[in-house]
Amino acid sequence: MDKLFNEPGLQLTIILLAIPIIFAIILMLIRVNRMIKDVMRKIELKSVNEKIAGMQPEEISALETRRQELEFQLSGNELSPETRVKDPKGIIAKTADVTDIRFLHTKRKSAGGKIEIPTEEKQLILWYLACAIFWLFVGTSVGFYLGIKFVAPDADHISWLSFGRLRPVHTNMVFWGWSSMAMVGFSYYVVPRVGNTRIFSVRTGYTTLALMNAAVLIGSIFLMSGINNSGGEYREYIWPVMSLFAVGIIITVYNLLKTIAARKTEEIYVSNWYIVAAMMFVITILVVAYLPFWQQGLGETIVQGYFMHQGVGMWFMFLNLGLMYYFLPQELNSPVYSYSLSILAFWTQILFYTLIGTHHFIFSAIPWWMQTVAIVASVGMVIPVAAGSVNFMMTIRGSWHRLKLSYVLPFYVVSIIFYFTGSMQGTVEAFRTTNLLWHFTDFTVAHSHLTMYGIITFMLFSFTYTLIPRLTSLQPPSLTVGLHFWMALIGVLLYTISLMIGSTEKGMLWMAKKPFIESVVLMVPYWLWRAIGGTMMWISHIIFAYNFYRMIKPRKEILVPQTPAEILQSIKLKPSDK
C-alpha cells in the first residue's frame, strides 16, 4: 500500500479529486447561509401580512399620504434660501437603512435583460433544448436502472432489458440525444449573435433536429432488440442509423457556414472557430469509424480508440468550449480574459487530442511506439487544458462574490474545475504505471462520468440557465435550481469517488493475482454507492426539466409588500386575489 501511494499518478489523482470536494464544502456553507436567510424572509413576510391585516383606517390614510410624498418630483427650487429645510415629500428615503454591503452587487434574479431575437429562431432553439432534456431524462433513467442492476442483478430476466443491451442505449442516448442536441441548439443561437445576423435557414435547423431524433429513437430500439454494430464502444448504432445523425450535422455545417458568410462583423469570433471545427471533426470521425476497411484485428482497435476519444474531445469538448467562450462572458457581462489563450488552446487541442486515442490500449498488441505517442500527446494536453482553465478563471476574476448572488455561476465554476481536474486525470491515467493499475476496472467508468457529466453536462446546465431566461424573461425558482445543483454535484462525486476507490483496490487484487471473484465481492458496496450517486443525478434531471418548464411558462410570484404603494395595493386586493 505504501508503495502504491508513492506513485506520482495516484498522488496527483488524489489532489485533483480534493479540489472539487473542497469547493463543494465552501459552496455548501454559502448555500446554507442563503437558506437561513430565506427562512427569515418567509417569517418576515408572515409578520408583515399579519400587520397589514390589522391596520387601522388612520394608518392606511397615513400610508396613502406617505405614498404621495414619495412620488413627489422636484420642482427645482427646493434649495432656495426662502425654503424651509424639511422632507414632507419623501425625497429622502431609507437614509439609515443599510440592507447590504454597498460595494457588492445587490441580489438580482437575472444577470442580464431580455434578448430579442426572431421568434422563429427562438422557437427552434427551445425545441432543440426540449428534445435534449427529454433524451437526458430517458437516457439517465436507463442508466439509473442499470445502476440498480449492479446491486440487484436479478431485477428482471427480459432480453430487451438486459445489461448488455441497455448499457449502449444509455451511453448513446446521452451522447447523441442529450449532449449533441443541446450543443447544436445553442450553436443556432451563438453563431448568428456573434455575426450580428440571422440563421441562414430555420427550416434546415428543424430538418437536422428531426434527423437527430430519428437516429436516437431508431438506434435505441435496434439496440434493445439486439441489432447493433457489434464492436466499438459508443458506436453501437448500425451505420444506416448513424448516417441519419451524420447527414443532420452535415447540413448544419452548411447552414452555419452560410450564416457566418452573411455576418455583419468583420472578424469571426473564436466561438465560431470551435463550433464549426467540432462539427467538421465529428463528420470525419463518424466516416472513419464506420468505413469497412479496418473493422478487423488491430486496425479496428486503433480506430475504436480514435473514434472514442475524438468523439469526446473533438466533438463534445471542442464544441462546448466554443459555447463557453460566448456564454461565460455574457453571464458575467465582461469580456473574455485573453483571446490569445483561447487561440492557443484551440490549435494545441487539435494537435494533441487527435493523437491520444490509443492511450486506452497500453500494454496491448498495438505497436509500442504508437502507445508512446499517445502517452506523450496526453501529457501535451496539459497546454490546452491549462490555457482554457486559466482563461475561464481569469474571466471570472472580480466576480467571485457573485457565487452567493447567482444561481448560474456555481454551475460554470464547477464545470471549469471539473474541466481542469478531469482532463488532468486523463493525462495521469495514461501513464503506464497507473494504466497497469486501473485499466479494465470501473475507474474508466468513473473517469468518463467525471468528464462527460462533470464537464460537458454541467456546462450545458450553465448555458441553459444563462440563455433561456434571457429569451423568455422567465426565471426558474432559486430553490429548485439549488436542489438541481447540489443533487447533481453530490451525486456525481459519490458516483465517481466510490468507483475510483473501489477500482484502485480491485486493481491491487488483480496485480496480486487474487481470484477474480474476490474483486467482484469487493466492488459490491462501491456499486451500491454508485447506484446512490446515480439516483441523485437522475433526480436532479427531473428537477432540471421542471426548471426548464418554469423558464418557458409564466407563473405569478409572491412579493413581500414594503413600500407604502405596495402595502396599499395589498390592502385593496381581495383575499382570493393575493
Side-chain angles (χ1 to χ4, degrees):
M1 179 66 73
D2 292 338
K3 182 179 179 182
L4 178 65
F5 280 99
N6 287 330
E7 293 292 342
L10 188 59
Q11 293 171 352
L12 286 172
T13 300
I14 293 172
I15 293 172
L16 292 172
L17 286 174
I19 293 175
I21 294 174
I22 293 171
F23 172 78
I25 292 173
I26 294 173
L27 202 55
M28 184 179 295
L29 293 175
I30 295 173
R31 291 301 182 185
V32 168
N33 181 57
R34 169 69 188 281
M35 291 172 63
I36 294 173
K37 289 183 178 179
D38 288 344
V39 171
M40 298 302 294
R41 187 71 169 168
K42 290 180 181 179
I43 295 173
E44 179 189 2
L45 174 60
K46 182 179 179 180
S47 175
V48 170
N49 286 334
E50 290 175 352
K51 290 180 180 179
I52 291 175
M55 292 187 71
Q56 301 299 317
E58 56 272 16
E59 293 176 307
I60 297 175
S61 176
L63 281 173
E64 180 66 36
T65 301
R66 189 57 177 166
R67 181 185 65 81
Q68 295 175 3
E69 292 173 350
L70 292 176
E71 293 176 355
F72 174 75
Q73 300 293 321
L74 292 174
S75 61
N77 64 344
E78 280 72 19
L79 299 181
S80 169
E82 288 122 10
T83 304
R84 294 179 60 189
V85 179
K86 57 182 180 178
D87 183 31
K89 303 301 183 182
I91 298 173
I92 304 174
K94 296 186 178 181
T95 56
D97 293 341
V98 179
T99 58
D100 201 356
I101 301 176
R102 294 304 173 90
F103 60 83
L104 297 182
H105 293 294
T106 303
K107 172 65 177 178
R108 295 177 298 176
K109 290 186 177 181
S110 176
K114 184 176 182 180
I115 297 176
E116 297 291 343
I117 68 172
T119 303
E120 60 272 18
E121 292 188 13
K122 180 173 75 173
Q123 293 299 321
L124 175 66
I125 295 165
L126 292 178
W127 269 110
Y128 266 96
L129 295 180
C131 291
I133 293 171
F134 170 79
W135 290 120
L136 172 68
F137 172 71
V138 177
T140 52
S141 295
V142 175
F144 166 69
Y145 186 62
L146 292 173
I148 293 176
K149 281 202 164 192
F150 268 98
V151 293
D154 291 327
D156 70 75
H157 297 281
I158 303 172
S159 61
W160 281 48
L161 300 180
S162 63
F163 187 92
R165 296 189 185 184
L166 284 184
R167 201 270 177 172
V169 169
H170 163 67
T171 55
N172 285 275
M173 200 173 282
V174 294
F175 270 36
W176 314 119
W178 152 242
S179 300
S180 298
M181 285 189 199
M183 293 189 308
V184 174
F186 286 125
S187 299
Y188 274 119
Y189 173 81
V190 172
V191 173
R193 301 291 83 74
V194 297
N196 194 24
T197 185
R198 301 182 64 167
I199 296 175
F200 175 70
S201 173
V202 173
R203 178 176 295 182
T204 300
Y206 281 109
T207 302
T208 296
L209 181 62
L211 289 170
M212 295 175 74
N213 276 298
V216 177
L217 178 61
I218 297 171
S220 299
I221 294 174
F222 279 5
L223 289 178
M224 293 181 71
S225 62
I227 303 173
N228 56 70
N229 195 39
S230 66
E233 190 177 20
Y234 309 139
R235 54 173 176 151
E236 290 90 353
Y237 288 169
I238 58 176
W239 72 263
V241 171
M242 209 62 207
S243 64
L244 296 175
F245 183 90
V247 170
I249 299 300
I250 289 171
I251 63 177
T252 297
V253 170
Y254 171 78
N255 202 8
L256 295 183
L257 287 176
K258 295 290 286 187
T259 302
I260 294 172
R263 70 188 185 280
K264 296 181 176 62
T265 57
E266 181 179 355
E267 72 282 352
I268 299 178
Y269 184 59
V270 69
S271 289
N272 285 358
W273 288 41
Y274 278 90
I275 292 170
V276 174
M279 293 188 178
M280 294 172 67
F281 266 108
V282 76
I283 295 169
T284 304
I285 294 164
L286 292 174
V287 171
V288 170
Y290 281 87
L291 285 176
F293 312 141
W294 35 61
Q295 299 302 319
Q296 301 294 329
L298 287 181
E300 195 275 340
T301 303
I302 295 171
V303 169
Q304 170 59 26
Y306 171 82
F307 170 80
M308 182 169 52
H309 246 299
Q310 301 319 294
V312 172
M314 302 309 295
W315 170 235
F316 297 111
M317 191 72 73
F318 220 45
L319 205 154
N320 265 272
L321 290 174
L323 297 174
M324 179 69 90
Y325 278 113
Y326 178 86
F327 282 113
L328 180 61
Q330 185 183 64
E331 175 62 29
L332 298 173
N333 194 27
S334 62
V336 67
Y337 171 69
S338 171
Y339 200 84
S340 298
L341 278 177
S342 66
I343 301 302
L344 172 65
F346 178 86
W347 288 113
T348 51
Q349 180 148 336
I350 291 177
L351 173 63
F352 293 116
Y353 214 110
T354 51
L355 299 173
I356 68 176
T358 51
H359 79 194
H360 280 278
F361 305 109
I362 305 299
F363 302 115
S364 70
I366 292 175
W368 192 259
W369 67 266
M370 188 174 289
Q371 300 176 34
T372 303
V373 168
I375 295 172
V376 173
S378 299
V379 176
M381 277 300 297
V382 171
I383 298 174
V385 171
S389 300
V390 169
N391 212 1
F392 297 142
M393 285 299 186
M394 292 302 290
T395 301
I396 301 175
R397 76 193 190 286
S399 299
W400 289 105
H401 62 276
R402 290 183 55 189
L403 278 174
K404 76 180 185 68
L405 303 172
S406 170
Y407 60 70
V408 184
L409 193 57
F411 285 94
Y412 281 100
V413 175
V414 165
S415 68
I416 295 168
I417 291 174
F418 277 127
Y419 172 56
F420 178 77
T421 57
S423 300
M424 290 298 98
Q425 185 196 69
T427 296
V428 170
E429 199 175 349
F431 297 160
R432 285 192 169 94
T433 303
T434 50
N435 203 279
L436 187 64
L437 173 66
W438 288 326
H439 194 45
F440 293 122
T441 70
D442 296 66
F443 199 96
T444 305
V445 178
H447 173 68
S448 65
H449 282 77
L450 197 67
T451 52
M452 280 301 299
Y453 195 86
I455 305 173
I456 304 303
T457 297
F458 262 84
M459 284 186 179
L460 294 174
F461 289 155
S462 308
F463 307 152
T464 303
Y465 286 126
T466 291
L467 177 60
I468 304 305
R470 287 172 166 83
L471 293 181
T472 64
S473 295
L474 299 174
Q475 299 287 335
S478 296
L479 177 61
T480 53
V481 175
L483 283 174
H484 172 208
F485 174 80
W486 285 110
M487 293 290 283
L489 176 59
I490 296 174
V492 72
L493 288 175
L494 286 177
Y495 189 107
T496 55
I497 293 174
S498 61
L499 287 185
M500 288 177 188
I501 295 173
S503 299
T504 302
E505 295 184 16
K506 177 193 283 188
M508 292 169 62
L509 285 179
W510 289 356
M511 294 171 69
K513 302 185 182 335
K514 297 294 183 180
F516 180 79
I517 191 63
E518 289 189 20
S519 67
V520 177
V521 175
L522 167 76
M523 286 300 298
V524 171
Y526 298 107
W527 286 334
L528 176 60
W529 281 107
R530 164 192 169 133
I532 294 172
T535 300
M536 295 181 68
M537 293 156 67
W538 177 69
I539 293 173
S540 78
H541 302 156
I542 300 176
I543 300 172
F544 176 52
Y546 171 75
N547 289 338
F548 178 77
Y549 172 79
R550 289 291 301 273
M551 287 187 286
I552 62 177
K553 284 290 185 180
R555 182 173 179 175
K556 187 177 180 181
E557 294 186 7
I558 299 175
L559 300 176
V560 178
Q562 293 181 333
T563 67
E566 291 172 346
I567 296 174
L568 289 169
Q569 181 66 24
S570 178
I571 294 172
K572 293 176 182 178
L573 290 175
K574 296 179 181 179
S576 59
D577 295 331
K578 292 185 181 180

